[in-house]
Amino acid sequence: MTELVLSIFDPNTLLPHRAGIAGLALALSAIDPTGAPMQWEVTEDAVKLSWEGSDLEAIQWLLKQTYRSEQGYLEVPALKLDEQGRYIFTEGVMSTFLQHIQQRTREKQTVSLSFLVEKDKPEIRIDYYPVVDCYYTCDSKDAFTSKGAFKKSIPIKSHHLPGLIECFVNGAYVESPTGFLSLLFLPLACGYYQLPGYRSALVIPEVRNLKEWVNLRRRIPGRTYRSFRASSAGESALSFLLREKLVEDAQQFRVDYCEVYQLGNQPWDGNQSYLKQAVHRVQVNDQVLGLYEIASRLLPPRVKLKQDGEGVWLAESKVLAWISDNLITNKAWYSGFFEFRKATTIYPEDRRGLVVMTEHLNADEQVLFDAVQGAFSAFLRNQIQQAQKQGRPLDYGQVTDKVIYRLQRPNTQQEFATALVDFLSQFRSKAARAAGPQIFWWIHQESNWRKARDLALLAIATYTSKKGDALDGEEVAIESSGDSEIHSETQQANVL
């Protein structure tokens, strides 16, 4: 008789093993034990299995109950997936665990799938290669002896668990029977995301209570093609954790930690497209998830027409990718705006999202932000007056770039402090009154001045008129002169 205990608290397990044990618990929850050739018990921290006879036959039976190839998809009854869910799961597994051609067989001819992403927009059309069979639906005889018993040491190829080893030249990863068994069910616990540029992301959750996790997983709603697409590996992790958080009554045992593997091309292997490029360990709080939830609503992927006019595609927001990558490292969401703006084109729809995001600054950040925007309003009024005297239209884009260059040119704390003080002193506003001590504190801390520069540049790039119009190249009304006095009263105000 064979008896195995797979515990999530076993010191020899890694995060993928613990998630795999959770996947096994989920698979067992959907199997009728009546007449089964094995017995099992799922506790809060372990799965206990026992059976008589051949190990090979018992595991093959368990895999057949868990994985099936149906209608061109890899079907898992325990997940209870709809059509879009089956596509997401199948394509996710094929681009991660089963990416190597030796581990799956697909039809040579594609079928066309259509998914509606936005109302009143054309459907996204995808060419999909149906799945015939794969590693999980075939006989896993490599793990067993000729007599059908588990081998003591079981080799696992690196492409079957992305990121497990750095390169295939290091040889196969060797597992124990319990470790091998847990990894067979890891796909059931993971999240899958498609990234821009022929990359993918695999999210592996932390599981602390098997029973509660299974109940939680069953209550999570199905996914759509839109939720399958992510702008970055960081967004993949946040999207995964947010889905877990939104399930009711999941606060005590919810998943709040995960690892995300970013997969893509590597120069040392031309046969596989989804090899490990980066690994992020992500643990965030409710405040971070709240900011991500707001940003994801403001900066969603958008359906766009292809250049040739034939068909449409889904464009992810580069701004959301930048914000997400900040949030997973516990930085301010606007960190690095200085470098981001220089390297990235910010489109009007993303600019509008950024304008709303600036409503979610803390009290200290808001002081500096408002002071810079107030000074920029006074500067704009000055430029408009000059343009009117010269009888020419005002080039808003050129004026905006002039101020941004003025504040992004400094490369040291002292240079930036001097440039910012000069700007706020020259173009005074109500928002800067009595804010001197707080602004001084911001720009004279070694750890803060770059954040202050990012925030100042963001304030200018997202400046909005009183009509609610963002300055994105159009002529819009700016604040009235009463909002930014630059005469005797403001000249007496000590900005810093």
Side-chain angles (χ1 to χ4, degrees):
M1 182 176 185
T2 301
E3 295 182 347
L4 296 178
V5 178
L6 289 78
S7 173
I8 59 175
F9 295 134
D10 186 330
N12 295 318
T13 60
L14 303 172
L15 188 68
H17 296 98
R18 297 194 290 274
I21 295 171
L24 173 58
L26 178 63
L28 291 171
S29 70
I31 300 176
D32 184 359
T34 305
M38 66 166 54
Q39 294 75 47
W40 61 83
E41 178 187 0
V42 178
T43 65
E44 293 182 349
D45 61 0
V47 175
K48 302 176 183 178
L49 301 173
S50 61
W51 59 82
E52 301 282 353
S54 167
D55 297 339
L56 173 61
E57 293 178 358
I59 300 306
Q60 285 181 344
W61 176 85
L62 183 56
L63 288 175
K64 288 180 180 178
Q65 301 300 311
T66 303
Y67 298 104
R68 301 170 187 170
S69 295
E70 293 184 358
Q71 299 179 342
Y73 296 108
L74 178 60
E75 176 69 34
V76 177
L79 295 178
K80 298 181 179 179
L81 301 173
D82 59 13
E83 182 178 359
Q84 288 198 41
R86 286 195 294 271
Y87 165 78
I88 291 169
F89 178 76
T90 303
E91 198 64 21
V93 173
M94 295 298 151
S95 63
T96 53
F97 300 109
L98 303 181
Q99 59 181 283
H100 200 283
I101 192 171
Q102 294 180 354
Q103 295 189 321
R104 80 288 196 279
T105 303
R106 308 184 79 160
E107 299 283 2
K108 295 182 179 180
Q109 297 296 324
T110 63
V111 297
S112 180
L113 302 178
S114 299
F115 300 119
L116 180 65
V117 177
E118 293 182 31
K119 292 181 179 179
D120 304 324
K121 291 290 182 69
E123 292 183 329
I124 299 290
R125 295 189 180 276
I126 298 168
D127 292 329
Y128 172 71
Y129 291 91
V131 175
V132 178
D133 57 36
C134 67
Y135 179 84
Y136 299 114
T137 59
C138 299
D139 296 333
S140 304
K141 294 183 178 180
D142 292 344
F144 303 89
T145 65
S146 58
K147 295 182 179 180
F150 270 121
K151 294 179 180 178
K152 292 183 178 180
S153 297
I154 303 172
I156 298 179
K157 294 182 179 180
S158 61
H159 52 64
H160 184 56
L161 184 60
L164 192 62
I165 60 177
E166 292 299 324
C167 178
F168 62 85
V169 298
N170 297 318
Y173 176 76
V174 178
E175 268 293 2
S176 65
T178 55
F180 167 78
L181 187 58
S182 65
L183 294 179
L184 287 177
F185 298 90
L186 175 58
L188 277 67
C190 294
Y192 305 94
Y193 296 86
Q194 190 177 66
L195 307 180
Y198 300 100
R199 297 175 300 150
S200 66
L202 172 71
V203 183
I204 304 177
E206 173 205 33
V207 178
R208 295 175 293 174
N209 185 302
L210 293 176
K211 286 187 173 181
E212 292 295 336
W213 183 85
V214 170
N215 292 332
L216 170 67
R217 184 63 184 80
R218 286 184 170 279
R219 297 201 302 273
I220 292 178
R223 295 179 62 191
T224 62
Y225 178 75
R226 178 172 173 171
S227 70
F228 180 46
R229 299 292 294 266
S231 60
S232 68
E235 193 208 341
S236 301
L238 293 172
S239 175
F240 183 88
L241 294 174
L242 181 62
R243 281 169 53 83
E244 304 278 346
K245 174 182 179 292
L246 293 179
V247 177
E248 295 181 0
D249 303 323
Q251 294 299 311
Q252 185 176 1
F253 295 104
R254 79 176 196 214
V255 174
D256 57 11
Y257 165 77
C258 67
E259 285 185 355
V260 55
Y261 290 77
Q262 177 181 305
L263 307 176
N265 288 317
Q266 287 284 20
W268 47 264
D269 191 343
N271 295 322
Q272 295 173 247
S273 300
Y274 299 101
L275 298 164
K276 185 183 74 170
Q277 292 181 328
V279 178
H280 305 278
R281 292 177 175 85
V282 181
Q283 183 169 12
V284 296
N285 54 35
D286 289 345
Q287 181 182 7
V288 169
L289 289 180
L291 283 172
Y292 166 71
E293 185 177 8
I294 294 168
S296 63
R297 289 201 306 265
L298 296 172
L299 302 161
R302 301 181 185 278
V303 175
K304 293 190 176 182
L305 187 68
K306 292 182 178 179
Q307 291 183 350
D308 58 7
E310 298 293 331
V312 295
W313 62 290
L314 195 62
E316 294 84 6
S317 169
K318 293 182 180 179
V319 174
L320 181 58
W322 160 65
I323 291 175
S324 299
D325 290 344
N326 278 329
L327 292 177
I328 67 170
T329 54
N330 294 315
K331 296 178 181 177
W333 65 265
Y334 57 82
S335 292
F337 185 73
F338 168 72
E339 292 84 2
F340 176 76
R341 185 185 179 279
K342 290 198 298 183
T344 309
T345 300
I346 300 177
Y347 296 101
E349 57 267 25
D350 286 338
R351 186 189 299 271
R352 288 190 286 270
L354 272 177
V355 170
V356 181
M357 280 299 296
T358 60
E359 299 173 4
H360 301 277
L361 301 171
N362 65 36
D364 290 329
E365 294 167 341
Q366 196 70 54
V367 168
L368 178 61
F369 184 85
D370 290 343
V372 173
Q373 283 207 335
F376 184 62
S377 176
F379 172 78
L380 279 177
R381 188 175 63 256
N382 180 276
Q383 294 294 305
I384 286 178
Q385 290 171 353
Q386 290 186 24
Q388 289 173 344
K389 289 179 180 178
Q390 298 170 5
R392 60 175 175 84
L394 181 69
D395 187 336
Y396 283 96
Q398 184 183 58
V399 168
T400 302
D401 288 343
K402 184 187 298 184
V403 180
I404 288 178
Y405 177 72
R406 179 175 179 171
L407 294 181
Q408 77 177 12
R409 181 175 52 186
N411 291 317
T412 67
Q413 176 187 359
Q414 188 58 45
E415 289 176 352
F416 173 72
T418 300
L420 182 61
V421 169
D422 288 346
F423 180 65
L424 295 180
S425 300
Q426 184 179 359
F427 304 99
R428 297 173 180 255
S429 70
K430 287 182 178 180
R433 294 177 186 173
Q438 287 173 279
I439 296 176
F440 180 90
W441 176 81
W442 257 92
I443 62 180
H444 284 86
Q445 289 193 80
E446 182 61 34
S447 60
N448 251 12
W449 80 268
R450 287 184 176 85
K451 284 178 59 179
R453 182 177 62 181
D454 291 331
L455 196 57
L457 295 174
L458 182 66
I460 297 169
T462 60
Y463 174 80
T464 307
S465 74
K466 280 204 163 185
K467 289 185 177 181
D469 303 316
L471 282 181
D472 51 6
E474 299 178 1
E475 292 191 5
V476 294
I478 62 170
E479 295 181 8
S480 64
S481 59
D483 293 318
S484 179
E485 299 176 10
I486 59 173
H487 301 295
S488 59
E489 184 179 354
T490 53
Q491 289 171 352
Q492 296 173 7
N494 184 12
V495 177
L496 293 177

